[in-house]
Structure formats: C-alpha cells, structure tokens
Amino acid sequence: MELGLGPYPGLSGPPEASDWTHVRQRVLFIRSDFDDLPGLPLNNDGQPLTDPYLYGQFGLVNNVFFDNSDGQTSLEFTLVPDVLRMPQPSGHYTDLPWVTALQVEDGRDVAIRYDSDHGGTGLYNPDNYDSYVVTQSRGMDGVSAYGPADRGGA
C-alpha cells in the first residue's frame, strides 16, 4: 500500500512543470486616463507612473518571479509609450460592481486601436502577450486591472 509519505506526500512523484510558470512571460503594460482625469496615472503614493519609474518597478517584479522560481520564470515587460484614453469618464468605472472586468476589456480595446493606429505591428496588441496590465488613477488611488491575453479561447 502506497502511503505517499515520501518527498511528494500524496503524489506518486514530483508535480509536472507548468508551461505558465517555467518560461519567460511577456506582459504588456498599458497606462490609461479619462476625459475627466487626464494625464499620467499615479501610484498609491501619488507619484506619476513615468517611464523610468515603471522600468525600475518592472525590474523589481521580474526579480521576485525569477528568484522565487529558482530561475525558471521571468517576466518581460513592454510599456505602451503613450497614456491611452479610456472610452468612458472615470465615474463610469467607479459606479459598477464589475469594475475590474470592464477596465480590462476597455483597456484591451484601446490598446488594440493604438497598435492599429501606430503601424499595426502587433507590438502594443494585448492579444500578442501572455498577460497585460491596465493601470489608471482616480485621484490619489492607483488602480490596476490585470487580464490574460486572448489566446483564441485557450
């Protein structure tokens, strides 16, 4: 009788490696604003999410994933160079119970349009990434919404 008390309790061997956790993950970072709240989004400390600030944060986040996966997972960030305008004013997103899903959907749509308007290379199309982040600020509260890239229903 197998009691599963070895190095992998309850399993007949080590768990299989996941394709998601043992590879380089490509992440698109989308900064967005609103007609009624224009400009660079702010972090929770009220600092603008400038390119240099974000690239520093990207390095820190990548290091956490890399270190905690024994060097098997890394994140490669691409930053959309411009702040993208959301289609609705900020209040539209704060008054809904499904805010995060709507932010992700609208942020994805504006990024796809941005990519198309800037040569259609796919560099800023969220569907070409493993995941993406849509960030925006409302006053002094930094808000981010995360979405998995659409992989054709996968």
Side-chain angles (χ1 to χ4, degrees), residues 2 7 10-15 24 33 52 59 70 75-76 78-79 83 87 92 105 112 115 123-124 128 137 148 153:
E2 173 69 41
L11 300 174
S12 59
R24 177 186 61 146
D33 69 0
D70 293 325
L75 302 177
E76 177 185 305
T78 298
L79 176 62
V83 176
H92 178 74
E105 182 178 327
I112 289 171
D115 183 73
L123 181 61
Y124 305 117
N128 295 330
S137 58

Side-chain angles (χ1 to χ4, degrees), residues 32-42 83 85 90 137:
S32 62
D33 69 0
F34 308 97
D35 282 336
D36 61 330
L37 194 58
L40 281 173
L42 307 175
V83 176
R85 181 63 44 94
S90 62
S137 58

